[in-house]
Amino acid sequence: MAVKPSRSEKKILYDKKLCTLLSQYSQVLIVHADNVGSNQLQKIRTGLRGDSVILMGKNTMMKRSVRLHAEATGNEAIMNLVPLLVGNVGLVFTKGDLKEVSEEISKYKVGAPARVGLVAPIDVVVPPGNTGLDPSQTSFFQVLNIPTKINKGTVEIITPVELIKKGDKVGSSESALLAKLGIRPFSYGLVVLSVYDNGSVFDPEVLNLTEDDLIEKFATGISMVTSLSLAVSYPTLAAAPHMFTNAYKNVLSVAVASEYSFPQAEKVKEYLKDPSKFAVAAAPVVAADSGAAPDASAKVEEKKVEEEEDSDEDMALNLFE
């Protein structure tokens, strides 16, 4: 007959097991385990088998083991786990993709009835329709102020009713009515509260970020840096193109308003002296839009304008280089 280990021996074995897992795994999901049964937990273990391990235990024992591991290895970053061990929680050690493991855990949820005294995790709304209950059951509905009518010998709910609000305790009347209607409004499973990854701790919402989300946030940050740099006239890489453009506009304005000139300003002055050149430049565009083929003279003028524009662009590039 095997001898059962003593309480102190169990603690030693638990410390050894947790310290071994902390050495082998650098990624840990802290999960909330309220109202999760042993059969349900076993199914989750089976689903995660291969690259993940679930370890439950008392918070005091887990904190103690984490401290012992930090002292033995000198890994102070692991102490970030200690403040997270509050309430009915467990640890999921994994070497797989954190998002995939989190999604796998969320699959194993079981429907549960609304028991008396239970705090509602979500709003419970009773939908309208025929309940299948006989007219003698109307007292339940009257107590809860649910509008009903008798239709073909059964009770029918007229409008949807918010029976229980999130955070409220389930009363005896609400529990009895939901049981009669066969509604199991709540579902329970392991809920990821926090994520530990190589010493860093963050919310599980971070796992849902996509590349598009990161690019959008990065672009927003660049835009803010650019705006701030322009506002305080402080040069940065993000603001440099705008600063050069604004400087060019200022110099061009001075050149147009005075006798001073430079090659890039000559064409602008020509357009201002002879506005008909605007029409000549716009003529090929208008002809293309209307579908009419431009005549030979218009083609020659268009080619000339394009050559002048290319020359101006080359001069502008040389100026900034």
Side-chain angles (χ1 to χ4, degrees), residues 69-135:
H69 180 75
E71 292 174 0
T73 61
N75 183 9
E76 293 298 328
I78 203 71
M79 291 296 293
N80 292 332
L81 282 173
V82 174
L84 306 177
L85 301 176
V86 178
N88 187 15
V89 297
L91 302 176
V92 179
F93 298 87
T94 182
K95 293 181 179 179
D97 183 84
L98 289 171
K99 183 178 181 181
E100 292 179 0
V101 174
S102 178
E103 290 174 349
E104 184 67 23
I105 291 173
S106 64
K107 291 180 182 178
Y108 297 90
K109 290 189 176 181
V110 178
R115 296 188 179 89
V116 179
L118 198 65
V119 177
I122 58 172
D123 294 331
V124 179
V125 178
V126 179
N130 198 309
T131 63
L133 301 176
D134 59 81

